[in-house]
Amino acid sequence: MTVNLIPRRPLWAIRGSLDRRIHWLIACCGLLLVLLAWWLASTGGAVDPVFLPTPPLVLNSAWEWLHDGDLLGDIAISVYRVVAGFLLSAVLALPLGVLVGTYAPVKALFEPLTDFIRYMPAAAFIPLVMLWVGIDEGAKIAIIFIGTFFQMLLMIAEDVRRVPMEQIEAAQTMGADRDEIVMRVIMPSAKPAILDTLRVTMGWAWTYLVVAELVAANSGLGFAVLKAQRFLQTDKIFAGIILIGLFGLATDQCFRWAHRRSFPWLYRR
Amino acid sequence: MTSPIIQIRQLQKRFAANGADIVALQDADLDIAPGEFVTLVGASGCGKSTLLRIVGGLEPASGGSVSVDGVPIAGPGIDRAMVFQHYSLYPWLTVTENITFCRQLKVHRDVSTLSDVESAEGRADALVRLMGLSHVADAYPNQLSGGMQQRVAIARALMARPRILLMDEPFGALDAQTREVMHDLILHVSILEKTTVLFVTHDVEEAIYLAHRVVLMAPRPGHIAAVHTVPLQDHRDQDMKQTPGFIALKKQILAGIRETSGMQTNYELLERLGQNPAP
Ligand SMILES: Nc1ncnc2c1ncn2[C@@H]1O[C@H](COP(=O)(O)OP(=O)(O)O)[C@@H](O)[C@H]1O
Ligand SMILES: [Mg+2]
C-alpha cells in the first residue's frame, strides 16, 4: 500500500495554487468541453453547417487549404506582417517609453497625445493609410503598428515608472550619474515587466491581422478568412480563425519561455 | 569636541502639496562629530526622513545649509551612503554583484589602478564575511530573508568606504530577534570602519542602544526638540538595556514623543464608555 505523504493542496483556497498535473487536467477539460459542445451542436442536425460547420469539416478545409491552396504561403506572409508591425512598434516604443517613464518633460510631451490617439480605432485609419502609405506590404504593417504602438508606449512607460525609487536613490548615493541610472538600474529593473508588455502587445498584433489584411491584400490568414466570408465558406473561416489563435498562443508561449530563461532570479526561491 | 564632520545650520524644508504649504523642517541645528553614532527619533511626520534625505543630497533644502567637512553639500556624493528600509537591492544581481555594484560606476572606475581593483576585491570579500553572507554570496536577493537582505544593503553601502552612513529605519521591517543581531552588527561595523552614522528609527530602545546621542524631533512644524547624550560606554551589550540609566532615558524620551505627537488619549471618554457599555 502506498501512502501519500504530501498533503493535497485544497482546490478552492482563495488565491490558491494547483499541482501542475491538476492544473493541466482542468485546462484540457476546458478545451475539450468547448470542442464537445461544438461537436454536439454541429452534428445534431439542428444547425445548418453553413452557420456552424462540424469539426471534421473544418479540419478537412484546413487540409484542402494546405494541399490545393497556399496555406504555408498565407502563414508565412501573415507571420511576416505581424512580426514586422510588432517589431517596428517595439523599436520605437522601447526607447520612447523609457524616456516617458523617466523624464517629466518627455512625459508631458507624449503621454496626453498618446492617451488620445490610442482610443482611435485602428480600422478607421485604413483609408488614410492607403492614401499615405499605399496598398502594398507597408500598409498592412502600418495598420498593425497603429494598433499596437500607442498602447505599447504607455505600458512600457508605466513599467519604467514602477521601478522602486529606492533602487534609483541607492545608485545616486553610490555616485551613479543619470545615464548610469538609466542603463544600470532602470533598464535592468524594468526589463522583466517590459518583456511581459511585449508579450501582451504581441497578442494584440495578431488580433489586428484581419483588420490589416482588409487593405488590398491577396494573401495571408486574415485575407483568407475575409475571402471565405465572401463565399460563405464557414468551415474555412473557422480554420483561419483557429490558426490565428494557435499562432498567437505559440508566440505567447515563446515569450514566456524567454522570460524564464532571461530572468532566472524571478523564478528562484 | 573635534571639529564636526556634519554641520546642519538653520535647516528648513517646505513641501508644496495640493496647494498647501507643509513645513517639514524648521530651523534645525545640529553638529555631528566624526565617528559619532547619532539616532533620530520622533513621532511620525516630524521630518526625520526629510532631514536624512537632505543630508544625503536626495532632497534640496529650502533654507539653511548642510556642510560636510565645512563644504556645503550639493546633491548626493560617494562620501555619504544611504541604507533604505527596503526595495533598494537589485534583484537581478547576486549578493556579491550587489555589493560590488559601485565598482561598475564611472566615479570609481576612472581612478582604478591594478592595486585598486585588487583591494576592492579584497574589500568585497571582507564585507561578505563580516556581514555573514559567505554562504549566500551567489544567491539572489529574493532568495534571502529580510534580515539577510539588509545585511547586503549595508555591505553595499559600505563598499565605497563612505565617511557617513545614512540609515532610514533600516531594521523597521525586521522581527525583534533579528533586529538585536543587526544592532550589534552595525555597532561593530561602525566602530571598525570609523563611520559616522545618522540613523532614523521610531524605536526608542533601538535609538538609545545604538547611539552616542539621540536627537528627539517633534512635528508641526518639524523641528529638533531635544538632544540626549546616552550615558553608556562605547562598547554596548544587550544587558545595558536593563540598567537604570538606560531605562530612565527611555522613559524621558518616550514622554517627550508622547507630549509632542498630539495624539493624546481621552481617558475620560474611555472611562465613560467603559461604564455605559453600548446597548
Ligand atoms: N515629497 C513630499 N511631498 C510633500 N510632503 C512631504 C514629502 N515628503 C515628506 N512630506 C511631508 O513632510 C513631513 C515630514 O515627513 P517625513 O520626513 O517623511 O517624516 P518622518 O520620516 O519623521 O515620518 C510630513 O508631514 C510629510 O507629509
Ligand atoms: Mg520616515
Side-chain angles (χ1 to χ4, degrees), chain B residues 176-187:
Chain B
Q177 285 78 29
T178 311
R179 217 182 308 171
E180 281 189 359
V181 176
M182 297 299 283
H183 289 163
D184 291 326
L185 185 64
I186 192 67
L187 278 176

Side-chain angles (χ1 to χ4, degrees), chain B residues 15-17 22 24 42-51 59 168-169 200:
Chain B
F15 287 109
I22 300 171
S44 139
C46 66
K48 304 184 294 290
S49 298
T50 303
L51 177 58
E59 200 89 66
D168 194 351
E169 307 200 17
V200 169

Side-chain angles (χ1 to χ4, degrees), chain A residues 164-177 179-180 184-186 188-190 264-269, chain B residues 53 58 76-78 80-82 84 86-92 101-102 104-109 140 142-143 156:
Chain A
M165 198 59 200
E166 288 88 342
Q167 288 182 4
I168 294 169
E169 290 182 337
Q172 284 175 329
T173 62
M174 285 186 275
D177 63 23
D179 293 344
E180 285 174 326
R184 294 190 181 275
V185 179
I186 292 181
S189 186
W265 70 87
L266 287 175
Y267 298 90
R268 235 178 261 186
R269 280 285 143 188
Chain B
R53 291 171 56 80
L58 296 172
I78 54 174
R80 285 155 288 140
M82 188 106 163
F84 301 82
H86 39 193
Y87 308 129
S88 78
L89 290 180
Y90 301 132
W92 62 94
F101 178 83
C102 68
Q104 315 295 317
L105 303 173
K106 273 181 240 134
V107 268
H108 300 282
R109 234 175 12 205
Y140 289 102
N142 65 358
Q143 296 174 282
R156 184 181 65 178

Side-chain angles (χ1 to χ4, degrees), chain B residues 177-274:
Chain B
Q177 285 78 29
T178 311
R179 217 182 308 171
E180 281 189 359
V181 176
M182 297 299 283
H183 289 163
D184 291 326
L185 185 64
I186 192 67
L187 278 176
H188 180 65
V189 171
S190 69
I191 291 168
L192 202 68
E193 290 271 300
K194 301 184 179 63
T195 317
T196 309
V197 186
L198 194 52
F199 185 111
V200 169
T201 175
H202 56 251
D203 179 346
V204 175
E205 200 170 280
E206 173 173 274
I208 299 171
Y209 184 69
L210 293 176
H212 296 111
R213 283 189 297 158
V214 179
V215 175
L216 173 64
M217 295 184 66
R220 279 177 300 276
H223 64 280
I224 293 176
V227 179
H228 300 277
T229 303
V230 177
L232 300 172
Q233 67 187 65
D234 270 13
H235 181 81
R236 306 286 161 95
D237 69 65
Q238 299 288 341
D239 291 338
M240 290 179 181
K241 291 179 182 173
Q242 315 305 331
T243 58
F246 191 100
I247 294 169
L249 184 56
K250 184 175 159 186
K251 268 189 187 157
Q252 192 184 352
I253 294 174
L254 277 172
I257 294 176
R258 220 174 291 127
E259 221 170 83
T260 58
S261 72
M263 281 189 282
Q264 258 92 32
T265 312
N266 191 334
Y267 288 104
E268 198 191 328
L269 181 62
L270 270 181
E271 210 146 286
R272 265 194 289 139
L273 286 171

Side-chain angles (χ1 to χ4, degrees), chain A residues 82-98 100-101 111 114-115 118 144-161 193-206 208 255:
Chain A
V82 168
V83 171
F86 170 81
L87 282 183
L88 189 62
S89 284
V91 162
L92 291 174
L94 265 171
L96 207 53
V98 171
V100 169
E111 207 171 47
T114 312
D115 253 330
R118 78 184 166 121
I144 291 178
F145 173 81
I146 291 170
T148 53
F149 171 74
F150 300 98
Q151 304 279 357
M152 200 193 271
L153 173 58
L154 290 178
M155 287 168 73
I156 289 176
E158 191 53 37
D159 293 338
V160 166
R161 263 196 293 272
I194 290 177
L195 189 61
D196 252 335
T197 291
L198 293 182
R199 178 176 64 80
V200 171
T201 43
M202 182 62 156
W204 294 340
W206 275 104
Y208 278 108
F255 270 103

